[in-house]
Amino acid sequence: MSVAFRVQLYFLLLILSALKGESRYLQENDVTAEGLFSLLNSEVKRELSKDFIYRRPLRCLDMLTMEGQFTFTADRPQLNCAAYFIGEPNEVISIEYKAVDIDCRRGDFIKVFDGWFLKGEKFPSNQDHPVSLSERYVDYCDTGDLSRAARSSQNVAMIFFHIHSPGCGFTITVKKLINPFPCNIISQTQEGSFTMVIPHQHTNCSFSIIYPVEIEIEELSLGHLDSNDAPVKRSIPGYVSYCRPLLFPKCSCPDEGRM
């Protein structure tokens, strides 16, 4: 039963009780008028925020943290563009094509990359990522399928695009989905506490940050390969590592064949 419907039933009960002279039972209830209106307002706000779609133009070099619908229209030949997307540590990025008007035969393309490409380095690295490098690219021109959605394996993704003709472009919808066990993370905040849990998996994971900060490891819980022993927990008080920031690069589209 929705909150708004419960509020309506409560007001109906209030009216009927008042007519019967039984409003004292309602007065003994801990529900207040302010609480009712706050519940109703929060429900309305929640429904509005759920239906509302954030929209804005996409720039040739862009970085986005919000869900929404983004449109790029070339005003001149744009041959070296990229957009970076980042979510919370426990989210993955979903990118869907809504409309595409490009000329693949002329050399236009739109490619989604599962991760980030920064200053010649890929995040996550080839060693840390669960799929091969070729599988991390989704090229629209390979299929021309608007219904195909690309989903990242971690909380970051990006698109590369080259468009030759003014007036051409595309529209994408970006959504964030919950990832209960994040493995590779880029943090978009300068401070905070983060916990990474990798249950029953033998895999490489990483944590990176886009600001120069100090990272203190508070506790490690390590398992043993080929062993039924319980994980070993170790507290490491005072262990601090200086983290070099990931600098935002000049945009360049990596060549899949050379990576």
Side-chain angles (χ1 to χ4, degrees), residues 158-176:
M158 66 183 301
I159 60 173
F160 302 98
F161 51 98
H162 289 194
I163 299 177
H164 290 80
S165 301
C168 292
F170 59 90
T171 298
I172 57 173
T173 297
V174 177
K175 299 178 181 178
K176 298 178 182 179

Side-chain angles (χ1 to χ4, degrees), residues 64-68 85-88 91-94 155 174-178 188:
L64 299 159
T65 62
M66 296 183 62
E67 294 180 315
F85 304 94
I86 184 169
E88 295 298 324
E91 294 176 333
V92 295
I93 308 296
S94 172
N155 70 321
V174 177
K175 299 178 181 178
K176 298 178 182 179
L177 310 174
I178 295 298
Q188 56 178 301

